[in-house]
Amino acid sequence: MTIDVVLLGTGNPLPDRDRAGAATLVRAGGRTLLFDAGRGVCLRLVAAGVLPVMLDAVILTHLHSDHICDLNDVVTTQWVMSPAPKSLRIFGPPRTREVIDGLRAMLRPDVEYRLAHHADLTWEPQLDVIEATPGVVVDEDGLRVVAARTDHRPVEPTLGYRVELDGKAVVIAGDTVPCAGLDELCADADVYVQTVLRDDLVRMVPMQRFVDTIDYHSTVAQAAQTAARGGVRTLVLTHQVPTPGIGAADEWIAVAREHFDGEIVFGEDLASISA
Ligand SMILES: [Zn+2]
Ligand SMILES: [Zn+2]
């Protein structure tokens, strides 16, 4: 039994032609889980062979726009493609309900149009919102998802997740600096997916708003140090800031390599990693 990870979107908040927004697919124990739902998530889901109706849950690390901006597309597509009422579970930190209420309001005209048009569509999107707290959030047929508090202040609270199956573990950390909760998640993990930033490059950009992002993301070096501390097998660098140029992978990996001996994957959209 494996845990299969597909990087659906490895982009940062700035649009890029080759990188969709933050989103990661995890398939394990017959379940299909979507972590975050950034720009272009449905396109990438389909490319990975998954339609939104096939999702067992959407799990949000935090409510920054680059991690949720296409959640409405997931919700609508799941709804219109369901032959019968099917609920979509959405886990996320406190205030997720507020976001979903807003999303329902945004979709209100569309939902009314479609209900009026299709005789066989008699239900609204069935959204089951669960505001998660640290601890076990999913425990089904040997598959566990454990949440821990991460540190992306002033964005708070934020959550990182550890997916466990049959002695394997995959960590989807989200945006965070190194912290105790992240170390808990990463202990002996097979795969650790971390959103990262190159502070040496960001500092060279003459724009304070961009430089501000250094203080609430793991640098590549910090991600590698977290991986080494946890004894993880594979470190996956995603959501790279600033957007790497063509052929930059080796340089990014070299920065991580100074602190971590294990396998290092420089994330590209639709790359898959198994634990
Ligand atoms: Zn963020
Ligand atoms: Zn982000």
Side-chain angles (χ1 to χ4, degrees):
M1 294 224 271
T2 59
I3 306 177
D4 299 310
V5 179
V6 180
L7 306 179
L8 297 177
T10 60
N12 60 50
L14 303 184
D16 185 85
R17 52 172 280 166
D18 298 317
R19 292 174 185 271
T24 307
L25 182 70
V26 176
R27 283 180 279 205
R31 299 294 205 285
T32 302
L33 311 173
L34 172 64
F35 289 84
D36 292 337
R39 183 182 295 128
V41 62
C42 285
L43 293 175
R44 291 291 193 263
L45 272 176
V46 169
V50 174
L51 290 166
V53 279
M54 296 155 69
L55 294 174
D56 293 291
V58 177
I59 303 177
L60 305 175
T61 59
H62 65 301
L63 304 173
H64 251 156
S65 58
D66 58 312
H67 294 250
I68 61 166
C69 69
D70 272 2
L71 182 56
N72 62 305
D73 197 13
V74 174
V75 166
T76 302
T77 310
Q78 191 267 1
W79 172 56
V80 297
M81 291 186 74
S82 296
K86 182 173 193 259
S87 67
L88 177 64
R89 288 184 297 173
I90 302 174
F91 296 87
R95 297 194 70 182
T96 296
R97 201 174 304 283
E98 180 184 334
V99 166
I100 300 301
D101 286 347
L103 190 147
R104 282 185 210 273
M106 182 193 94
L107 293 174
R108 189 72 233 155
D110 178 79
V111 169
E112 288 178 7
Y113 302 147
R114 295 182 195 282
L115 289 175
H117 187 198
H118 304 292
D120 70 325
L121 186 59
T122 57
W123 61 92
E124 300 191 358
Q126 310 279 302
L127 305 177
D128 186 5
V129 180
I130 302 111
E131 291 193 341
T133 49
V136 177
V137 294
V138 174
D139 190 352
E140 298 167 358
D141 304 327
L143 174 72
R144 288 199 338 153
V145 179
V146 181
R149 201 69 176 259
T150 52
D151 184 353
H152 189 41
R153 285 175 288 171
V155 183
E156 60 180 340
T158 56
L159 295 170
Y161 299 95
R162 176 181 170 109
V163 181
E164 300 174 338
L165 177 77
D166 198 25
K168 308 274 181 57
V170 165
V171 175
I172 308 295
D175 294 351
T176 179
V177 295
C179 61
L182 183 59
D183 282 344
E184 257 171 54
L185 294 175
C186 287
D188 294 320
D190 295 278
V191 176
Y192 160 44
V193 181
Q194 180 63 63
T195 67
V196 289
L197 170 147
R198 281 276 299 277
D199 56 326
D200 54 328
L201 301 180
V202 172
R203 274 183 227 288
M204 289 159 55
V205 179
M207 187 193 290
Q208 186 56 42
R209 196 178 298 170
F210 199 53
V211 175
D212 286 344
T213 63
I214 293 173
D215 61 19
Y216 67 178
H217 285 101
S218 283
T219 64
V220 173
Q222 287 173 328
Q225 288 159 354
T226 298
R229 252 194 327 277
V232 314
R233 184 171 62 78
T234 302
L235 166 65
V236 180
L237 308 175
T238 189
H239 181 293
Q240 300 97 342
V241 183
T243 304
I246 306 290
D250 288 349
E251 190 186 310
W252 285 64
I253 289 171
V255 174
R257 179 60 69 208
E258 287 177 32
H259 308 276
F260 177 61
D261 290 334
E263 184 186 9
I264 301 168
V265 174
F266 179 77
E268 307 274 6
D269 282 23
L270 295 174
S272 54
I273 306 103
S274 288

